[in-house]
Every structure is written in structure tokens, then in C-alpha cells.
Amino acid sequence: MKQELDLDAVIRQRIRGLRLARGWSLDALAARCYLSPSTLSRIETGHRRIALDQLVPIARALDTTLDHLVETAADDDVVIHPEPQQSAGVTTWLMSRESTVRGVTVAKMRFSPEHPSGPDRQRVHPGREWFTVLSGTIRLYLGDRVMLVAAGDAAEFSTMVPHSIGAADGPAEILTIFDQDGERAHMPTPGQSS
């Protein structure tokens, strides 16, 4: 029974927090989810039991999922301890969990000068790629263009354009975000060494 009450409190806090983060009044959210403002107020304050038929339109109005409203969050899954994976002159640390929202993966990558890159190494795949350079300089081959991306700068491009990334003049580290297609194309599989 206590777990159920704790979950109710978490759901109520999430609803209120998401509403306030959007700058919406009770009236504004109530209109979007077809509930009365007084019903929504009682849900947020705990004076009304939360029903599934109310949660679905509330989640939809807040542009979230029912799963995200009701998921329990344990303190043990806050800190991520990334394990390095090495492959052909690149060390990769996954900085996000497998269950990230909308299939997005965040990774830190260190490129050594030995990492093979260049015009003949360019690949294409569906999606978009984004990275920011943490240290060093990255040489980005993008179609017929070659660009140097220095520490503090970022790059974003369609991955349907042939591309290759490597270190320029020494090691370089990036923080990158991949969608599911980008992750499959760029991340080494466990145990892969080449």
C-alpha cells in the first residue's frame, strides 16, 4: 500500500512539474486534456484518486507517455559508470542508458591519429549526427568538403551525406548524440576490436 501511495505522489509531482515547466495554468492544461480545472487541481494536490482514464489524456496533453508518468525512479540509476570500448583507434564511452527517450544515445569518443578516416572511409546511413569537440581538433570529411572542428565548436549534419570523422594533429575527444540509425552505424558492438 505504501508503494502505491509513493507512486501516486510521484505521478502528481510529475504532472504539476511538467505543467509548470511549460508555463501552463491549471486552466490551460485542463482545456488540453478535457478535464475540469478543479478535477486537475484535486489530482495534483492528492485530494482525488488518479484514474487511468484521466492519466492518458493528461500524458498526451503534456507531450509525454504514460510510461514516463508512472515509471519509478530508483536512486541507483542516476549515475552512469561508462565502460570504455575500443575499436580501430577510437575509444567510446556510452553516456546514456539503453532505455533512453526516443532511442537517442549519448557517447563520448576519443579519436587517436591512428583511427582510419578520410574521403575513402566515408559512409552514409539514415538520420542526423551531432557532436561537440571537447578537446583537440576533429577533421570532418563531409562529401567533397573537409572541415576542421576545434575544441568548443560543434557540427551537425545529415548522415545521408557521405561522412568520416578523425583526429587532426593529435588525439581529440567529442561528445556525440546518435539516433538509433547513427548508433548502429558508428558504435562498436561488444567484443569488436577492429
Side-chain angles (χ1 to χ4, degrees):
M1 183 69 176
K2 181 173 176 0
Q3 284 181 327
E4 187 177 314
L5 292 175
D6 290 345
L7 181 58
D8 275 3
V10 167
I11 294 169
R12 294 174 199 289
Q13 290 171 346
R14 287 180 182 158
I15 292 169
R16 179 174 168 72
L18 288 169
R19 177 179 63 79
L20 293 175
R22 286 165 175 72
W24 294 348
S25 65
L26 280 168
D27 291 335
L29 178 57
R32 286 176 169 84
C33 60
Y34 307 106
L35 294 172
S36 72
S38 65
T39 298
L40 190 57
S41 174
R42 290 191 311 250
I43 288 171
E44 284 188 5
T45 59
H47 292 101
R48 181 179 179 126
R49 187 156 172 81
I50 303 170
L52 185 59
D53 65 334
Q54 295 165 332
L55 274 181
V56 172
I58 291 171
R60 190 175 298 125
L62 291 169
D63 193 30
T64 190
T65 65
L66 192 57
D67 288 345
H68 287 136
L69 279 182
V70 301
E71 74 182 340
T72 57
D75 288 340
D76 60 342
D77 70 353
V78 173
V79 177
I80 297 170
H81 301 284
E83 294 289 327
Q85 299 175 19
Q86 296 188 341
S87 171
V90 178
T91 305
T92 304
W93 295 265
L94 290 181
M95 309 300 283
S96 58
R97 301 191 189 287
E98 292 177 18
S99 60
T100 56
V101 178
R102 297 185 177 107
V104 173
T105 299
V106 179
K108 181 174 109 172
M109 302 175 86
R110 179 183 300 135
F111 291 86
S112 72
E114 293 79 32
H115 173 67
S117 65
D120 57 330
R121 296 292 213 163
Q122 295 186 86
R123 296 183 293 174
V124 299
H125 55 86
R128 295 194 62 78
E129 190 165 323
W130 175 92
F131 67 85
T132 186
V133 180
L134 302 173
S135 64
T137 302
I138 290 290
R139 183 172 286 119
L140 170 62
Y141 297 89
L142 192 59
D144 294 336
R145 302 182 303 172
V146 180
M147 292 162 268
L148 294 178
V149 186
D153 289 340
E156 181 181 10
F157 52 92
S158 167
T159 54
M160 290 304 287
V161 176
H163 61 283
S164 175
I165 298 172
D169 306 323
E173 288 189 354
I174 66 171
L175 187 66
T176 185
I177 300 174
F178 297 117
D179 62 8
Q180 290 173 338
D181 294 321
E183 180 182 1
R184 279 192 296 272
H186 291 287
M187 301 301 291
T189 56
Q192 178 182 349
S193 60
S194 61

